[in-house]
Amino acid sequence: MDRRSFTQSLLGSSLMIINKKPVELRKRAIYLKKGDKIGLICPAGIINEERLDKAIANMETLGLKAISGKYILEQSGYLAGSDQHRLADLHNMYSNSEIAAVWCIRGGYGSTRLLPYVDFDLIKSNPKPMLGYSDITAFHHAINLKAGVHTFHSPVGSSELTPYTLSNLKSVIFGESGNQIEIETSTENDQLFADGKSVYERYIIHPGIATGNLWGGNLSLLAAMAGTEYLKLKKDSILFIEDIEEVPYRIDRMLTQLFQALPMNKIKGIVVGVCEGCEKKDNGPSFTLKEVIMDRISRLQIPALYGFSFGHITNQCTLPFGAVATMDTTTFKLKVTLP
């Protein structure tokens, strides 16, 4: 594929702050429409040309036009280029008025390194959603908190778009269902549990119905950001969390740390996604993942469930970060009101 037709040569570089002057939040619809230009960036881990091609193809499937960051294929150790270049790609996508949204091609590690240098006034004055999950959790929190701009906890640009993933993604980002959306779990994930993959089990941790703003993401990132200026819980929230390849004691440790750091009176309910690869690894002494989840969360005595369709999995839903949602442990559904 001739990537030059998709790649925009962007000006700007380094850690230079583009706009220090405070600005008022300018309203902009968070919905996308067919034909919109989408800025593809890699603010964390490395990608190769194959993964970039996959992301471009996904944008075409959605009827969107991909514009790649100038430094998107760079590599610096385990990072997708230097901090300066990754930051420049992010800033350039927000300063370009033709770009309707910024979509991260993958997670990995590196997003938190950029947060002290992000020009949040620039983002506030050019509001457009960012999309992605995993390490992109850092940006969801920082952008919402510092710039007041809505984002989508969604598949990354290079994710596999299964029928469930694609249908849910389009329903949310294009506003196809209006501002009221009902998100159900994937029947494909239920089949994986029926086929013997215990981590896909759906179960109630504590029964009930709760309403709050969707807030959360990858558990490892949330624990790492706890106590920083980029992770502040200001509204009553539905906490959603997921992780991958973390043994049960690490899940225990991170949940314990998070619950000790957060104002837990503002957490009205908890939705846990599928924690792929987080089962105990051998026959040594350990709690199971389910035992840890039940022990750490059920004692909070708030509505909570495990096994919703998000996480490092193939069939995953898209959650509009900060939107008001009602969770119901009986129906296993999220009813979301978009801003």
Side-chain angles (χ1 to χ4, degrees):
M1 178 179 293
D2 182 6
R3 205 176 292 66
R4 285 177 297 179
S5 62
F6 294 96
T7 305
Q8 178 178 2
S9 295
L10 300 174
L11 299 174
S13 63
S14 78
L15 296 175
M16 179 179 64
I17 301 300
I18 295 177
N19 177 16
K20 291 184 178 181
K21 185 179 179 180
V23 293
E24 296 297 326
L25 175 62
R26 189 170 75 237
K27 297 292 183 182
R28 181 190 188 280
I30 66 170
Y31 302 120
L32 303 180
K33 62 182 185 300
K34 299 294 177 65
D36 275 347
K37 294 180 180 179
I38 305 300
L40 297 178
I41 65 171
C42 287
I46 302 159
I47 63 163
N48 54 25
E49 292 191 16
E50 182 180 1
R51 198 154 187 176
L52 176 56
D53 288 343
K54 175 65 173 176
I56 292 170
N58 282 345
M59 297 304 108
E60 292 175 342
T61 296
L62 290 163
L64 302 169
K65 298 179 181 178
I67 306 295
S68 299
K70 181 178 180 179
Y71 304 108
I72 201 164
L73 288 173
E74 285 194 356
Q75 176 178 343
S76 178
Y78 41 73
L79 300 169
S82 66
D83 288 352
Q84 292 89 343
H85 284 178
R86 301 195 326 279
L87 186 71
D89 273 354
L90 184 149
H91 280 162
N92 285 327
M93 291 305 181
Y94 274 99
S95 63
N96 186 340
S97 61
E98 294 186 354
I99 300 296
V102 181
W103 209 317
C104 302
I105 293 184
R106 67 158 294 186
Y109 167 72
S111 296
T112 53
R113 290 171 57 119
L114 302 184
L115 296 185
Y117 311 106
V118 173
D119 186 346
F120 293 106
D121 285 339
L122 169 70
I123 297 175
K124 181 185 291 187
S125 61
N126 297 275
K128 59 190 76 173
M130 178 178 282
L131 295 91
Y133 76 107
S134 192
D135 201 65
I136 311 308
T137 294
F139 287 113
H140 290 312
H141 285 271
I143 289 173
N144 274 265
L145 183 65
K146 299 287 189 177
V149 174
H150 294 289
T151 61
F152 294 113
H153 183 276
S154 75
V156 291
S158 60
S159 290
E160 184 69 27
L161 298 184
T162 67
Y164 172 85
T165 301
L166 183 61
S167 175
N168 188 267
L169 179 64
K170 292 169 65 177
S171 179
V172 174
I173 68 172
F174 292 130
E176 292 181 347
S177 301
N179 70 335
Q180 299 288 331
I181 300 173
E182 188 170 85
I183 303 176
E184 301 184 42
T185 55
S186 163
T187 56
E188 291 84 356
N189 289 349
D190 291 337
Q191 185 58 50
L192 287 170
F193 172 63
D195 292 340
K197 292 208 69 173
S198 61
V199 75
Y200 284 88
E201 180 185 4
R202 291 196 288 122
Y203 54 86
I204 296 171
I205 302 169
H206 187 82
I209 298 173
T211 299
N213 294 85
L214 287 171
W215 189 92
N218 179 258
L219 178 59
S220 295
L221 265 293
L222 295 174
M225 295 173 70
T228 72
E229 64 181 278
Y230 307 104
L231 191 76
K232 304 290 183 183
L233 184 56
K234 293 186 175 182
K235 300 178 180 179
D236 288 347
S237 296
I238 301 297
L239 173 64
F240 65 93
I241 51 177
E242 60 80 27
D243 221 314
I244 182 172
E245 296 297 337
E246 296 285 357
V247 293
Y249 85 84
R250 291 177 181 168
I251 298 291
D252 185 331
R253 180 179 65 198
M254 291 186 288
L255 286 174
T256 300
Q257 178 185 3
L258 194 63
F259 294 162
Q260 290 176 356
L262 294 178
M264 293 305 295
N265 62 311
K266 292 185 178 295
I267 302 293
K268 302 305 178 183
I270 298 178
V271 179
V272 185
V274 176
C275 297
E276 180 69 74
C278 294
E279 307 95 332
K280 65 176 186 176
K281 306 301 182 184
D282 53 40
N283 294 324
S286 174
F287 293 116
T288 65
L289 172 65
K290 185 175 182 178
E291 287 172 333
V292 169
I293 295 291
M294 293 297 295
D295 175 67
R296 293 286 80 196
I297 298 178
S298 64
R299 66 178 62 198
L300 300 176
Q301 298 291 293
I302 58 177
L305 54 82
Y306 173 90
F308 212 80
S309 299
F310 65 90
H312 289 70
I313 56 177
T314 303
N315 296 290
Q316 57 176 303
C317 65
T318 295
L319 301 173
F321 195 101
V324 175
T326 296
M327 61 172 290
D328 188 334
T329 61
T330 301
T331 63
F332 233 81
K333 293 179 181 179
L334 278 175
K335 295 182 178 180
V336 182
T337 303
L338 291 173

